[in-house]
Amino acid sequence: MKQIYCSLLFLLSIVVNAQIPDSTWFRSNYTKQEQYITMRDGTRLFTSIYLPNDKSEKHPILISRTPYSCAPYGEKAYRPFYSNHYKEYLKEGYIMVVQDVRGRWMSEGVFEDVRPYKTGKKGKTDYDEASDTFDTIDWLVKNLPNNNQKVGVFGISYPGFYSTMAALSNHPALKAVSPQAPVTDWFLGDDFHHNGAFMEMDAFNFYLRRGFGFPHPKPTSVGPKGFSVPTKDSYEFFLRSGPLPNLTRFAGDSVRFWNDMMQHPNYDDWWQARNVRNFVGAISPNIATLVVGGTFDAEDCFGAWTTYQAIEKKAKNNNRIIMGPWFHGQWAGRGSDGSSLGNVQFGSPTSEYYAQKFEVPFFNYHLKGKGNVDNIKEATVFFTGENNWKQFEQWPPAASAEQSMYMQPQGGLSFKQPSVANAHSEYVSDPAKPVPYAEGIKAARTREYMTDDQRFASTRPDVLTFQTEILSEDLTLAGPLVADLMVSMTGTDADFIVKLIDVFPDDFQYSPTDTYIVNGYEMLIRGEVFRGRFRNSFEKPEPFVPNQVTQVKYTLPDVAHTFKKGHRVMVQVQSTWFPLVDRNPQKYVDIYHAKPSDFQKSTIQIHHNPTAASKIILPVIK
């Protein structure tokens, strides 16, 4: 009996292992096809199609459109869908499709960054990313054998933008779309700019140094070479480079989008046409959307929150949001199971949970009619601090209410309004010695800075720190933060960075084997920059009047965090965050064309008195 039992176990293990897709399984069960699909204007887009060999049923189609290449090229070279949770789609028999977007890699045509959506398209030459998606879907459902006429689209980051655009195509076969960390607005909050401040390091490294922005004059399977810089110390490189015109020289005349940005320093019509939120009201009620993002995504946290909010407000479809404690794309297994980020631990493999409970069931239900989506509520959000998933019927939750926490003299922070007349704190902001965004020497922007220990910044004389007494009970936040500063300065312009921080107890530890000392850790929960000139309008900037008290009020991306009993709440205020954000000359000039002589020190005061009370407005759940 024991031998029979062991034999059965052995045979069962063979069967189970045979169902786990790997490279060999993929090649045995799928056939790759490369196809040029012709768009309405005659341009052909290169498309890799992976067809299941199983002919016993009809299969749904799942598409990702990308500017980053649908490689590997060649019908014998297979994309490793089996390396993350996408293997579940292989097991389910999905037809997997990846397409190079117009003008990128092996596709024909001219590429345009965040190509604006066109309303009222009429002729064959009237195209955009939505129409390219429509034409692609139309060809696929009409030409691929054994497809069930149901299509889904998903993608992360830039492919997230193309996913949102896909939802605007309204092809009748399109049933489900998941924009994940979608590029949404490159002036107000994603990638290139945050609240009008130029995200210098990411923009330069992505667009110029790695070569993304250099043109593809004809289809190619060979990527850009990029170039190296003299030092791996990014702080030193960008400081040594000086004003932005010196970086623009790397672009030359050929990098169109970079040069266009330098000519559009304000939120004008050019930028607003590239804000996809303006158009999501056109999404059909028949298309379900699942917006996904990370609360610690350094690139497109803004995009996830605001895409969901815009669809919720303007469209009439089934729209849901999932937000986990992730860096950019971490939910798709990009080197982590989502159980931690940097030194901060989340207590469970959140990425695996997401895939099993939400994404795969979402597409299975809408594209295969399999299972249900009862577990996918309106908003499913992971709360750090307490390390729990929570679900809500709306976001922000109905139980969330604004409460103001006021900055006080001597670095205090409390829910009580300040009472000391004429009180203020001040610092000297020097563009020649900007505050680093992270501690130590960094070759490139780290993803971990979003939860990094801020004790290094607390020691800087040009960083103001305010903190509460030790909390006597938990404090849970759910929703957007609002920084409401009363400031004055000796210059005519300034940036303001406000950071919300969780200060751990002095005896805190995750385990006795912690490799990093987390006693008294100052965990960044949310930090965001605001370019002061835009305090009244992103379209029409204004200089500050020197030494005049002025309000600077702005919204930071949403948070989902519980400050535990025994912790403290901290707020830091500073005016440089380098080289994450370019340096403001602190003189009202065109920063994109500034000269070295424009940069100047400025004494900046943050007022916290009864008539000018600086505060941070928290979304508190009682």
Side-chain angles (χ1 to χ4, degrees):
M1 177 64 73
K2 184 177 180 180
Q3 286 182 331
I4 294 173
Y5 178 71
C6 291
S7 297
L8 287 172
L9 283 179
F10 176 71
L11 291 172
L12 180 61
S13 69
I14 292 175
V15 172
V16 171
N17 288 333
Q19 300 305 310
I20 300 175
D22 57 14
S23 177
T24 302
W25 184 96
F26 192 19
R27 291 173 180 276
S28 298
N29 289 273
Y30 272 75
T31 299
K32 183 181 180 183
Q33 171 185 333
E34 293 184 331
Q35 178 71 42
Y36 270 108
I37 298 177
T38 303
M39 301 294 102
R40 62 191 61 186
D41 67 328
T43 299
R44 301 182 308 155
L45 304 189
F46 188 91
T47 311
S48 292
I49 304 166
Y50 297 84
L51 294 157
N53 295 334
D54 174 29
K55 303 297 189 293
S56 65
E57 64 178 2
K58 294 187 181 297
H59 305 282
I61 301 169
L62 190 54
I63 304 171
S64 180
R65 304 186 66 243
T66 178
Y68 299 133
S69 172
C70 66
Y73 297 102
E75 292 187 341
K76 299 298 183 183
Y78 280 46
R79 196 175 181 94
F81 292 113
Y82 47 80
S83 65
N84 64 1
H85 72 266
Y86 298 167
K87 63 179 177 287
E88 300 300 323
Y89 300 122
L90 302 182
K91 290 161 65 176
E92 291 285 348
Y94 281 70
I95 299 169
M96 304 297 287
V97 177
V98 189
Q99 183 179 73
D100 290 337
V101 298
R102 182 181 290 257
R104 295 294 295 178
W105 295 87
M106 288 294 289
S107 284
E108 298 175 349
V110 177
F111 177 69
E112 183 174 357
D113 273 292
V114 285
R115 189 189 304 273
Y117 174 73
K118 291 185 177 180
T119 59
K121 290 181 282 291
K122 297 178 181 178
K124 290 184 176 181
T125 58
D126 225 1
Y127 61 83
D128 55 19
E129 301 302 341
S131 69
D132 280 356
T133 308
F134 185 102
D135 295 347
T136 297
I137 293 173
D138 209 54
W139 188 94
L140 292 170
V141 296
K142 290 176 180 177
N143 290 277
L144 294 184
N146 292 317
N147 83 81
N148 71 355
Q149 303 288 300
K150 292 184 178 180
V151 177
V153 178
F154 71 159
I156 299 171
S157 192
Y158 220 147
F161 163 80
Y162 294 109
S163 298
T164 308
M165 283 293 180
L168 294 171
S169 73
N170 291 326
H171 193 285
L174 182 61
K175 305 300 181 183
V177 176
S178 182
Q180 301 179 8
V183 168
T184 301
D185 189 323
W186 270 352
F187 191 84
L188 294 186
D190 290 317
D191 297 297
F192 282 92
H193 296 82
H194 288 201
N195 294 309
F198 188 56
M199 306 303 283
E200 180 176 43
M201 180 163 53
D202 273 6
F204 178 81
N205 286 342
F206 166 66
Y207 212 76
L208 298 181
R209 186 177 175 185
R210 295 173 193 157
F212 180 88
F214 290 93
H216 290 221
K218 61 182 180 179
T220 179
S221 61
V222 179
K225 293 182 179 180
F227 55 85
S228 60
V229 294
T231 174
K232 291 185 178 181
D233 181 345
S234 59
Y235 184 99
E236 178 62 24
F237 168 72
F238 286 103
L239 191 62
R240 191 187 302 170
S241 295
L244 282 178
N246 294 337
L247 294 182
T248 298
R249 293 192 184 100
F250 285 96
D253 297 328
S254 61
V255 184
R256 175 184 167 190
F257 189 76
W258 180 281
N259 289 312
D260 283 347
M261 282 196 299
M262 297 300 112
Q263 302 306 318
H264 294 276
N266 307 323
Y267 198 49
D268 57 15
D269 291 344
W270 186 84
W271 280 114
Q272 292 179 40
R274 287 159 174 78
N275 173 10
V276 68
R277 293 174 296 162
N278 290 330
F279 310 105
V280 296
I283 296 174
S284 166
N286 299 321
I287 298 173
T289 49
L290 180 67
V291 182
V292 179
T295 51
F296 299 120
D297 183 345
E299 297 167 48
D300 299 304
C301 176
F302 171 94
W305 287 120
T306 59
T307 294
Y308 162 76
Q309 291 160 357
I311 295 174
E312 198 66 14
K313 180 179 179 181
K314 298 180 180 181
K316 297 180 180 180
N317 68 324
N318 181 341
N319 180 44
R320 300 287 186 266
I321 186 169
I322 312 285
M323 293 293 289
W326 302 310
F327 62 72
H328 193 61
Q330 189 177 11
W331 55 93
R334 294 185 175 183
S336 171
D337 64 2
S339 60
S340 64
L341 175 54
N343 301 307
V344 179
Q345 299 181 19
F346 305 132
S348 63
T350 59
S351 299
E352 295 175 10
Y353 185 85
Y354 156 76
Q356 294 168 3
K357 297 292 185 180
F358 307 122
E359 185 187 293
V360 176
F362 172 76
F363 283 116
N364 277 347
Y365 177 79
H366 290 289
L367 303 187
K368 299 189 72 176
K370 179 179 179 180
N372 60 68
V373 288
D374 295 345
N375 195 46
I376 307 177
K377 304 301 183 185
E378 179 68 26
T380 303
V381 182
F382 187 90
F383 279 68
T384 49
E386 62 182 272
N387 289 346
N388 282 319
W389 288 98
K390 295 178 183 288
Q391 294 190 311
F392 303 93
E393 295 304 317
Q394 67 180 65
W395 187 269
S400 178
E402 290 185 345
Q403 282 190 252
S404 295
M405 188 169 273
Y406 295 89
M407 300 168 203
Q408 307 282 351
Q410 285 79 53
L413 186 68
S414 77
F415 289 116
K416 296 181 179 179
Q417 293 196 34
S419 57
V420 179
N422 301 318
H424 68 268
S425 301
E426 70 178 42
Y427 56 94
V428 176
S429 177
D430 184 355
K433 299 177 181 179
V435 180
Y437 79 98
E439 188 174 24
I441 306 300
K442 309 294 182 185
R445 195 264 299 143
T446 69
R447 61 195 184 193
E448 294 81 10
Y449 91 87
M450 295 288 284
T451 60
D452 265 354
D453 191 347
Q454 299 301 302
R455 281 179 284 194
F456 78 96
S458 295
T459 65
R460 295 267 311 202
D462 48 359
V463 176
L464 298 182
T465 299
F466 305 88
Q467 69 174 348
T468 65
E469 298 296 325
I470 294 173
L471 298 178
S472 59
E473 60 183 12
D474 290 357
L475 175 66
T476 298
L477 308 183
L481 299 172
V482 177
D484 189 357
L485 305 178
M486 300 302 294
V487 308
S488 60
M489 65 195 69
T490 56
T492 52
D493 193 16
D495 290 347
F496 293 93
I497 296 94
V498 173
K499 297 186 288 189
L500 180 69
I501 297 161
D502 185 339
V503 183
F504 294 8
D506 290 340
D507 60 353
F508 182 88
Q509 63 179 13
Y510 289 112
S511 75
T513 59
D514 287 345
T515 57
Y516 183 88
I517 298 174
V518 289
N519 304 156
Y521 191 89
E522 295 179 3
M523 175 188 172
L524 182 63
I525 304 302
R526 178 67 72 229
E528 188 60 291
V529 62
F530 187 88
R531 185 136 285 170
R533 62 178 61 197
F534 296 118
R535 64 197 178 279
N536 294 321
S537 168
F538 286 106
E539 295 88 349
K540 298 177 180 179
E542 302 172 40
F544 287 85
V545 176
N547 300 314
Q548 179 174 299
V549 178
T550 306
Q551 183 181 41
V552 175
K553 185 177 182 180
Y554 66 100
T555 302
L556 291 75
D558 295 36
V559 296
H561 182 78
T562 296
F563 292 84
K564 300 295 290 182
K565 177 182 177 181
H567 291 228
R568 297 174 187 260
V569 180
M570 177 182 285
V571 170
Q572 290 181 349
V573 182
Q574 59 200 63
S575 287
T576 51
W577 212 15
F578 192 75
L580 194 65
V581 182
D582 72 318
R583 295 171 303 141
N584 190 320
Q586 302 179 150
K587 176 182 179 183
Y588 188 77
V589 297
D590 178 355
I591 299 177
Y592 298 106
H593 299 93
K595 304 182 296 294
S597 59
D598 292 326
F599 290 76
Q600 61 186 22
K601 294 180 182 180
S602 180
T603 299
I604 296 175
Q605 296 182 338
I606 305 297
H607 297 262
H608 38 73
N609 57 67
T611 58
S614 294
K615 58 185 178 289
I616 186 165
I617 304 171
L618 306 176
V620 178
I621 289 186
K622 288 292 187 181

